[in-house]
PDB file of all heavy atoms in Angstrom:
ATOM      1  N   GLY A 106       3.313   0.471  36.920  1.00 95.00           N
ATOM      2  CA  GLY A 106       2.408  -0.240  36.010  1.00 95.00           C
ATOM      3  C   GLY A 106       1.813  -1.444  36.614  1.00 95.00           C
ATOM      4  O   GLY A 106       2.321  -2.013  37.603  1.00 95.00           O
ATOM      5  N   SER A 107       0.739  -1.918  36.021  1.00 94.00           N
ATOM      6  CA  SER A 107       0.061  -3.096  36.499  1.00 94.00           C
ATOM      7  C   SER A 107      -0.549  -3.851  35.293  1.00 94.00           C
ATOM      8  O   SER A 107      -0.719  -3.295  34.236  1.00 94.00           O
ATOM      9  CB  SER A 107      -1.093  -2.719  37.484  1.00 94.00           C
ATOM     10  OG  SER A 107      -1.743  -3.855  38.023  1.00 94.00           O
ATOM     11  N   GLY A 108      -0.812  -5.124  35.513  1.00 96.00           N
ATOM     12  CA  GLY A 108      -1.450  -5.921  34.468  1.00 96.00           C
ATOM     13  C   GLY A 108      -0.429  -6.723  33.681  1.00 96.00           C
ATOM     14  O   GLY A 108       0.715  -6.847  33.992  1.00 96.00           O
ATOM     15  N   PRO A 109      -0.912  -7.302  32.539  1.00 96.00           N
ATOM     16  CA  PRO A 109      -0.044  -8.136  31.721  1.00 96.00           C
ATOM     17  C   PRO A 109       1.122  -7.424  31.155  1.00 96.00           C
ATOM     18  O   PRO A 109       1.118  -6.194  31.018  1.00 96.00           O
ATOM     19  CB  PRO A 109      -0.992  -8.570  30.602  1.00 96.00           C
ATOM     20  CG  PRO A 109      -2.400  -8.316  31.062  1.00 96.00           C
ATOM     21  CD  PRO A 109      -2.272  -7.194  32.039  1.00 96.00           C
ATOM     22  N   GLU A 110       2.140  -8.173  30.802  1.00 97.00           N
ATOM     23  CA  GLU A 110       3.304  -7.556  30.163  1.00 97.00           C
ATOM     24  C   GLU A 110       2.956  -7.065  28.717  1.00 97.00           C
ATOM     25  O   GLU A 110       2.227  -7.718  27.989  1.00 97.00           O
ATOM     26  CB  GLU A 110       4.431  -8.586  30.063  1.00 97.00           C
ATOM     27  CG  GLU A 110       5.084  -8.919  31.345  1.00 97.00           C
ATOM     28  CD  GLU A 110       6.261  -9.906  31.147  1.00 97.00           C
ATOM     29  OE1 GLU A 110       7.014  -9.702  30.192  1.00 97.00           O
ATOM     30  OE2 GLU A 110       6.401 -10.824  31.974  1.00 97.00           O
ATOM     31  N   VAL A 111       3.550  -5.922  28.375  1.00 97.00           N
ATOM     32  CA  VAL A 111       3.359  -5.412  27.029  1.00 97.00           C
ATOM     33  C   VAL A 111       4.310  -6.155  26.091  1.00 97.00           C
ATOM     34  O   VAL A 111       5.365  -6.670  26.492  1.00 97.00           O
ATOM     35  CB  VAL A 111       3.633  -3.925  27.015  1.00 97.00           C
ATOM     36  CG1 VAL A 111       3.754  -3.354  25.631  1.00 97.00           C
ATOM     37  CG2 VAL A 111       2.567  -3.214  27.811  1.00 97.00           C
ATOM     38  N   GLU A 112       3.948  -6.261  24.872  1.00 98.00           N
ATOM     39  CA  GLU A 112       4.672  -7.042  23.891  1.00 98.00           C
ATOM     40  C   GLU A 112       6.091  -6.507  23.681  1.00 98.00           C
ATOM     41  O   GLU A 112       6.344  -5.298  23.768  1.00 98.00           O
ATOM     42  CB  GLU A 112       3.968  -7.010  22.496  1.00 98.00           C
ATOM     43  CG  GLU A 112       2.538  -7.523  22.524  1.00 98.00           C
ATOM     44  CD  GLU A 112       1.527  -6.468  22.910  1.00 98.00           C
ATOM     45  OE1 GLU A 112       1.910  -5.367  23.231  1.00 98.00           O
ATOM     46  OE2 GLU A 112       0.324  -6.787  22.857  1.00 98.00           O
ATOM     47  N   ARG A 113       7.028  -7.447  23.418  1.00 98.00           N
ATOM     48  CA  ARG A 113       8.424  -7.059  23.238  1.00 98.00           C
ATOM     49  C   ARG A 113       8.611  -6.026  22.214  1.00 98.00           C
ATOM     50  O   ARG A 113       9.434  -5.056  22.347  1.00 98.00           O
ATOM     51  CB  ARG A 113       9.227  -8.349  22.885  1.00 98.00           C
ATOM     52  CG  ARG A 113      10.717  -8.169  22.722  1.00 98.00           C
ATOM     53  CD  ARG A 113      11.380  -9.464  22.380  1.00 98.00           C
ATOM     54  NE  ARG A 113      12.844  -9.344  22.328  1.00 98.00           N
ATOM     55  CZ  ARG A 113      13.524  -9.058  21.265  1.00 98.00           C
ATOM     56  NH1 ARG A 113      12.882  -8.802  20.137  1.00 98.00           N
ATOM     57  NH2 ARG A 113      14.864  -8.949  21.334  1.00 98.00           N
ATOM     58  N   GLU A 114       7.941  -6.140  21.033  1.00 98.00           N
ATOM     59  CA  GLU A 114       8.174  -5.186  19.971  1.00 98.00           C
ATOM     60  C   GLU A 114       7.735  -3.780  20.379  1.00 98.00           C
ATOM     61  O   GLU A 114       8.318  -2.788  19.919  1.00 98.00           O
ATOM     62  CB  GLU A 114       7.436  -5.639  18.697  1.00 98.00           C
ATOM     63  CG  GLU A 114       5.933  -5.638  18.803  1.00 98.00           C
ATOM     64  CD  GLU A 114       5.252  -6.052  17.461  1.00 98.00           C
ATOM     65  OE1 GLU A 114       5.943  -6.550  16.598  1.00 98.00           O
ATOM     66  OE2 GLU A 114       4.060  -5.773  17.342  1.00 98.00           O
ATOM     67  N   VAL A 115       6.746  -3.718  21.196  1.00 98.00           N
ATOM     68  CA  VAL A 115       6.299  -2.381  21.698  1.00 98.00           C
ATOM     69  C   VAL A 115       7.319  -1.757  22.591  1.00 98.00           C
ATOM     70  O   VAL A 115       7.655  -0.565  22.524  1.00 98.00           O
ATOM     71  CB  VAL A 115       4.959  -2.484  22.393  1.00 98.00           C
ATOM     72  CG1 VAL A 115       4.546  -1.184  23.080  1.00 98.00           C
ATOM     73  CG2 VAL A 115       3.884  -2.910  21.428  1.00 98.00           C
ATOM     74  N   VAL A 116       7.880  -2.554  23.474  1.00 98.00           N
ATOM     75  CA  VAL A 116       8.896  -2.021  24.445  1.00 98.00           C
ATOM     76  C   VAL A 116      10.135  -1.580  23.658  1.00 98.00           C
ATOM     77  O   VAL A 116      10.703  -0.523  23.935  1.00 98.00           O
ATOM     78  CB  VAL A 116       9.287  -3.099  25.460  1.00 98.00           C
ATOM     79  CG1 VAL A 116      10.376  -2.564  26.390  1.00 98.00           C
ATOM     80  CG2 VAL A 116       8.022  -3.471  26.262  1.00 98.00           C
ATOM     81  N   ARG A 117      10.547  -2.366  22.654  1.00 98.00           N
ATOM     82  CA  ARG A 117      11.730  -1.952  21.874  1.00 98.00           C
ATOM     83  C   ARG A 117      11.442  -0.674  21.084  1.00 98.00           C
ATOM     84  O   ARG A 117      12.312   0.164  20.954  1.00 98.00           O
ATOM     85  CB  ARG A 117      12.128  -3.133  20.924  1.00 98.00           C
ATOM     86  CG  ARG A 117      12.809  -4.281  21.645  1.00 98.00           C
ATOM     87  CD  ARG A 117      13.283  -5.349  20.721  1.00 98.00           C
ATOM     88  NE  ARG A 117      14.313  -4.888  19.812  1.00 98.00           N
ATOM     89  CZ  ARG A 117      15.593  -4.750  20.121  1.00 98.00           C
ATOM     90  NH1 ARG A 117      16.034  -5.035  21.368  1.00 98.00           N
ATOM     91  NH2 ARG A 117      16.492  -4.333  19.254  1.00 98.00           N
ATOM     92  N   ALA A 118      10.234  -0.572  20.568  1.00 98.00           N
ATOM     93  CA  ALA A 118       9.892   0.674  19.818  1.00 98.00           C
ATOM     94  C   ALA A 118       9.941   1.856  20.724  1.00 98.00           C
ATOM     95  O   ALA A 118      10.518   2.892  20.318  1.00 98.00           O
ATOM     96  CB  ALA A 118       8.550   0.495  19.159  1.00 98.00           C
ATOM     97  N   LEU A 119       9.310   1.755  21.883  1.00 97.00           N
ATOM     98  CA  LEU A 119       9.287   2.970  22.772  1.00 97.00           C
ATOM     99  C   LEU A 119      10.682   3.310  23.273  1.00 97.00           C
ATOM    100  O   LEU A 119      10.996   4.470  23.470  1.00 97.00           O
ATOM    101  CB  LEU A 119       8.269   2.774  23.901  1.00 97.00           C
ATOM    102  CG  LEU A 119       8.523   1.893  25.063  1.00 97.00           C
ATOM    103  CD1 LEU A 119       9.252   2.620  26.194  1.00 97.00           C
ATOM    104  CD2 LEU A 119       7.217   1.335  25.621  1.00 97.00           C
ATOM    105  N   MET A 120      11.531   2.277  23.525  1.00 98.00           N
ATOM    106  CA  MET A 120      12.895   2.591  23.914  1.00 98.00           C
ATOM    107  C   MET A 120      13.687   3.241  22.857  1.00 98.00           C
ATOM    108  O   MET A 120      14.455   4.232  23.105  1.00 98.00           O
ATOM    109  CB  MET A 120      13.597   1.281  24.402  1.00 98.00           C
ATOM    110  CG  MET A 120      13.072   0.688  25.718  1.00 98.00           C
ATOM    111  SD  MET A 120      14.075  -0.670  26.257  1.00 98.00           S
ATOM    112  CE  MET A 120      15.574   0.155  26.748  1.00 98.00           C
ATOM    113  N   LEU A 121      13.529   2.769  21.634  1.00 98.00           N
ATOM    114  CA  LEU A 121      14.278   3.417  20.534  1.00 98.00           C
ATOM    115  C   LEU A 121      13.835   4.855  20.355  1.00 98.00           C
ATOM    116  O   LEU A 121      14.673   5.779  20.141  1.00 98.00           O
ATOM    117  CB  LEU A 121      13.964   2.635  19.214  1.00 98.00           C
ATOM    118  CG  LEU A 121      14.494   3.325  17.929  1.00 98.00           C
ATOM    119  CD1 LEU A 121      16.024   3.307  17.886  1.00 98.00           C
ATOM    120  CD2 LEU A 121      13.928   2.606  16.700  1.00 98.00           C
ATOM    121  N   LEU A 122      12.529   5.157  20.481  1.00 98.00           N
ATOM    122  CA  LEU A 122      12.046   6.488  20.301  1.00 98.00           C
ATOM    123  C   LEU A 122      12.482   7.407  21.425  1.00 98.00           C
ATOM    124  O   LEU A 122      12.771   8.580  21.202  1.00 98.00           O
ATOM    125  CB  LEU A 122      10.534   6.426  20.132  1.00 98.00           C
ATOM    126  CG  LEU A 122      10.047   5.746  18.860  1.00 98.00           C
ATOM    127  CD1 LEU A 122       8.530   5.485  18.922  1.00 98.00           C
ATOM    128  CD2 LEU A 122      10.443   6.532  17.624  1.00 98.00           C
ATOM    129  N   ARG A 123      12.552   6.877  22.634  1.00 97.00           N
ATOM    130  CA  ARG A 123      13.089   7.661  23.752  1.00 97.00           C
ATOM    131  C   ARG A 123      14.572   7.989  23.550  1.00 97.00           C
ATOM    132  O   ARG A 123      15.026   9.124  23.717  1.00 97.00           O
ATOM    133  CB  ARG A 123      12.850   6.950  25.067  1.00 97.00           C
ATOM    134  CG  ARG A 123      13.353   7.670  26.310  1.00 97.00           C
ATOM    135  CD  ARG A 123      12.632   8.965  26.739  1.00 97.00           C
ATOM    136  NE  ARG A 123      11.800   9.673  25.798  1.00 97.00           N
ATOM    137  CZ  ARG A 123      11.647  10.988  25.817  1.00 97.00           C
ATOM    138  NH1 ARG A 123      12.229  11.731  26.726  1.00 97.00           N
ATOM    139  NH2 ARG A 123      10.840  11.556  24.962  1.00 97.00           N
ATOM    140  N   LEU A 124      15.295   6.991  23.055  1.00 98.00           N
ATOM    141  CA  LEU A 124      16.727   7.215  22.752  1.00 98.00           C
ATOM    142  C   LEU A 124      16.887   8.255  21.706  1.00 98.00           C
ATOM    143  O   LEU A 124      17.794   9.131  21.733  1.00 98.00           O
ATOM    144  CB  LEU A 124      17.358   5.912  22.347  1.00 98.00           C
ATOM    145  CG  LEU A 124      18.836   5.940  21.938  1.00 98.00           C
ATOM    146  CD1 LEU A 124      19.722   6.402  23.096  1.00 98.00           C
ATOM    147  CD2 LEU A 124      19.294   4.585  21.392  1.00 98.00           C
ATOM    148  N   SER A 125      15.990   8.268  20.695  1.00 98.00           N
ATOM    149  CA  SER A 125      16.050   9.215  19.633  1.00 98.00           C
ATOM    150  C   SER A 125      15.918  10.619  20.151  1.00 98.00           C
ATOM    151  O   SER A 125      16.629  11.571  19.765  1.00 98.00           O
ATOM    152  CB  SER A 125      14.953   8.921  18.616  1.00 98.00           C
ATOM    153  OG  SER A 125      14.968   9.886  17.554  1.00 98.00           O
ATOM    154  N   THR A 126      14.978  10.821  21.098  1.00 97.00           N
ATOM    155  CA  THR A 126      14.806  12.131  21.740  1.00 97.00           C
ATOM    156  C   THR A 126      16.060  12.509  22.574  1.00 97.00           C
ATOM    157  O   THR A 126      16.484  13.666  22.524  1.00 97.00           O
ATOM    158  CB  THR A 126      13.557  12.190  22.554  1.00 97.00           C
ATOM    159  OG1 THR A 126      12.398  12.206  21.746  1.00 97.00           O
ATOM    160  CG2 THR A 126      13.522  13.445  23.470  1.00 97.00           C
ATOM    161  N   LEU A 127      16.594  11.534  23.297  1.00 97.00           N
ATOM    162  CA  LEU A 127      17.817  11.870  24.105  1.00 97.00           C
ATOM    163  C   LEU A 127      18.921  12.323  23.183  1.00 97.00           C
ATOM    164  O   LEU A 127      19.721  13.226  23.553  1.00 97.00           O
ATOM    165  CB  LEU A 127      18.280  10.626  24.829  1.00 97.00           C
ATOM    166  CG  LEU A 127      17.320   9.998  25.860  1.00 97.00           C
ATOM    167  CD1 LEU A 127      17.958   8.762  26.481  1.00 97.00           C
ATOM    168  CD2 LEU A 127      16.903  11.030  26.911  1.00 97.00           C
ATOM    169  N   MET A 128      18.984  11.833  21.958  1.00 98.00           N
ATOM    170  CA  MET A 128      20.063  12.144  21.033  1.00 98.00           C
ATOM    171  C   MET A 128      19.849  13.424  20.318  1.00 98.00           C
ATOM    172  O   MET A 128      20.739  13.867  19.537  1.00 98.00           O
ATOM    173  CB  MET A 128      20.291  10.996  20.063  1.00 98.00           C
ATOM    174  CG  MET A 128      20.915   9.698  20.689  1.00 98.00           C
ATOM    175  SD  MET A 128      22.565  10.058  21.334  1.00 98.00           S
ATOM    176  CE  MET A 128      23.449  10.274  19.807  1.00 98.00           C
ATOM    177  N   THR A 129      18.702  14.087  20.509  1.00 97.00           N
ATOM    178  CA  THR A 129      18.526  15.407  19.862  1.00 97.00           C
ATOM    179  C   THR A 129      19.305  16.469  20.545  1.00 97.00           C
ATOM    180  O   THR A 129      19.475  17.569  19.977  1.00 97.00           O
ATOM    181  CB  THR A 129      17.057  15.808  19.910  1.00 97.00           C
ATOM    182  OG1 THR A 129      16.614  15.944  21.289  1.00 97.00           O
ATOM    183  CG2 THR A 129      16.180  14.779  19.160  1.00 97.00           C
ATOM    184  N   GLY A 130      19.812  16.197  21.748  1.00 96.00           N
ATOM    185  CA  GLY A 130      20.518  17.259  22.493  1.00 96.00           C
ATOM    186  C   GLY A 130      19.637  18.268  23.169  1.00 96.00           C
ATOM    187  O   GLY A 130      20.088  19.294  23.621  1.00 96.00           O
ATOM    188  N   ARG A 131      18.307  17.944  23.242  1.00 96.00           N
ATOM    189  CA  ARG A 131      17.379  18.872  23.850  1.00 96.00           C
ATOM    190  C   ARG A 131      16.910  18.484  25.235  1.00 96.00           C
ATOM    191  O   ARG A 131      16.085  19.155  25.818  1.00 96.00           O
ATOM    192  CB  ARG A 131      16.135  19.023  22.916  1.00 96.00           C
ATOM    193  CG  ARG A 131      16.421  19.407  21.493  1.00 96.00           C
ATOM    194  CD  ARG A 131      16.557  20.937  21.306  1.00 96.00           C
ATOM    195  NE  ARG A 131      17.676  21.542  21.976  1.00 96.00           N
ATOM    196  CZ  ARG A 131      18.941  21.606  21.519  1.00 96.00           C
ATOM    197  NH1 ARG A 131      19.265  21.045  20.352  1.00 96.00           N
ATOM    198  NH2 ARG A 131      19.884  22.201  22.220  1.00 96.00           N
TER     199      ARG A 131
END
Side-chain angles (χ1 to χ4, degrees):
S107 182
E110 291 183 39
V111 170
E112 303 86 355
R113 181 179 186 271
E114 66 177 16
V115 172
V116 178
R117 287 184 63 80
L119 74 89
M120 290 187 70
L121 173 67
L122 295 169
R123 181 67 342 210
L124 178 62
S125 178
T126 287
L127 299 180
M128 289 297 292
T129 63
R131 305 275 65 84

